[in-house]
Amino acid sequence: MAIISENESPVSRRYTNSQLRYALGYVLITLVALLVLNLYCSKSSQNIFYQSKRSMIEKCQLASDEISKLEILNPTTVSNTVEQLGSLKVTRLIVTDQSGQMIFDTAAGQGHYALLPEIVLALEGNDVFTCRYQYRDGTIQSHAATPIVSYGITVGCVYMMEYDTDQGNLIRSLQNTILRITLILEFLVIVFSLAFSNTFSRRIRQIMASMRTIQQGDYTKKVSLGGHDELTFLGDEFNDLMERLRTSEQKRSRFVSDASHELKTPLASIKLLADSILQNDMDMDTVREFVGDIGNEADRLNRTTAKLLALTRVDGREQDAECEIITMAPTVNRVVRMLSAIAKQNSITIETHLEQDCPILILEDDLYQIIFNLVENGIKYSVPGGKLSVSLLREADNAVLRVADTGMGIPQEALDHIFERFYRVDKARSRATGGSGLGLAIVRSIVQRSRGQIAVESQVGKGTTFTVRFPVFDTEEDTP
């Protein structure tokens, strides 16, 4: 029994060439259009020549008027009248009586009955004209007939037939020329359609090849299509997307590595302390000390896990999800009250300058977490006896929150990295203070989700200032 994997390799897939189908469809459409145009031109040229032959009706009427003046219709009188009319330039001329018997015929057919369709219609009192083109012979056969009316009575008819090979050959030559032009144009359409299809498909295949390399984990192969059309734009967008995917994959790998390292350290400490308790004879004081250390490592592990979950929730939350219009001052005061005890233990003075409170659109828990992380970091990294300033003001259409400390500061080369996950400026001190390197990453993610901006300024030995800006959400007051 054969087992077929559901995850078929992309290389083994077979794709139909849609562009070739489009090209063939375009060729078919142009072929139909050119054939219709060919037929239209041929019919139009024939009609032009047919209209030029309608002068035969006038010739017939002229002959009919002259013959109708005769007292007696016989071959002699009719022949004399025709001779007086001069050259009518027709292939055959027939004059019949009212029964259809030929009185005069340039083809020497007197005495016979001429029951041609045109003659029958003319004897019924109609002016008749017909014209037929024979492509095989290259001729135009024109037929015209008019009744001979004497004193209101039809006494016969005049029939003329013209066999024109010159104009027939001209029509055939014109139709052949149009047909050749049609075939040449269609051949060019086919050639250009196939060439365009091949070029288009080749460029698409380049993009598909790059997509397959991405599926295999290689983000280095870029698409180079050239030109200035939509496919070139698509290739540039694809390269940008691939670059973002590569960057995202690097960040993901680094995040997984850093997260594994952060989680591995407290777990290894817990394992080491637990093994020491089990394998050694210790007094109760030492055991309590080791158990306390285990608890501290467990708390550290719990804090790291909680922050990772917070980052996951922030990344997965949609912008404006369940947001509310709130003012910032109450949340600032609540955070300061919560952390004042910790600041007092570290001999840090917290000063608040709430100049102007502004409404913003944000989740209250998110705003609390932003302010809490910034103030907590300011306390952790300030020197004893230092000062932490929390300011709230309005600048144009922005609500501005500033948290400034008088701590050790951040080196210039580290400022571009402090918002990265698991990044620490001073790793030894960060671990000692319980820092995981995730607090500022969480702050930046929440600020960006809330349409805000965050910036940092720092000088080593003087302190650091974090500035957060949110667009003000002013509500219109009802006017009477």
Side-chain angles (χ1 to χ4, degrees), residues 22-35 186:
Y22 297 150
L24 293 177
Y26 179 71
V27 168
L28 181 61
I29 292 173
T30 55
L31 177 60
V32 173
L34 289 174
L35 288 177
E186 187 61 24

Side-chain angles (χ1 to χ4, degrees), residues 8 13 16 19-20 29 69 82 158 253 294 304 339 410:
E8 184 182 2
R13 297 175 186 170
T16 58
Q19 189 60 28
L20 180 59
I29 292 173
K69 298 175 182 178
V82 171
V158 176
S253 300
I294 291 175
T304 302
L339 296 175
I410 302 172

